[in-house]
Amino acid sequence: MMDKFNLSAGAARRRIGGFTLLELLVVIVIIGMLVGYVGPKYFKQVGKSQITVVRDQLHAFGQALDQYRLDTGHYPTTQQGMAALMEKPANETKWDGPYLKKAVPVDPWGTPYVYKQPGDHGEYDLISYGKDGVPGGTGEDADLGSWE
């Protein structure tokens, strides 16, 4: 009788110490539901932050272009592009750069910014074509420009 008692107590201890397959499946389902709910909200925030980065970079590039204009009397041409902010163009006698600490990066989606002078919306246009990298679009694919 003593052996039976000890055996059942040991079996009870083993059962209390672990999880059943059903319990593990319930936990996995709950975690999956949480990821399904939180994941889209997280990625939506990532998209918003990329748009904020573009706007901040466009503003910083605009300030550098304005400083270039103050020194030289004009904005860089479309052919010179944003590179004129880092390296002195051959025919610029009043250039006092570099006007940026680092080279112009690509936008958060890996596409180069577009610089046009004269611009369609002002003396120059700086454009990011958004997530899709092509003109037009809505949401994260919308174009972002220096004139906004």
Side-chain angles (χ1 to χ4, degrees), residues 17-105:
F19 296 104
T20 65
L21 181 60
L22 181 61
E23 291 168 331
L24 290 174
L25 288 174
V26 168
V27 169
I28 290 172
V29 167
I30 291 171
I31 290 171
M33 289 171 48
L34 288 173
V35 168
Y37 178 75
V38 174
K41 292 182 183 282
Y42 170 76
F43 287 113
K44 185 176 180 183
Q45 292 301 320
V46 170
K48 285 181 182 179
S49 68
Q50 290 172 325
I51 291 169
T52 301
V53 167
V54 169
R55 288 195 173 122
D56 290 346
Q57 286 180 334
L58 290 175
H59 179 73
F61 299 152
Q63 289 180 328
L65 286 164
D66 290 341
Q67 186 61 48
Y68 180 99
R69 181 175 166 253
L70 285 172
D71 290 347
T72 64
H74 58 85
Y75 289 107
T77 65
T78 300
Q79 292 76 25
Q80 291 170 327
M82 301 285 284
L85 298 174
M86 294 299 297
E87 295 180 23
K88 181 180 179 182
N91 58 352
E92 283 301 336
T93 57
K94 297 179 182 178
W95 190 86
D96 193 29
Y99 298 95
L100 295 171
K101 292 181 180 180
K102 297 179 181 178
V104 177

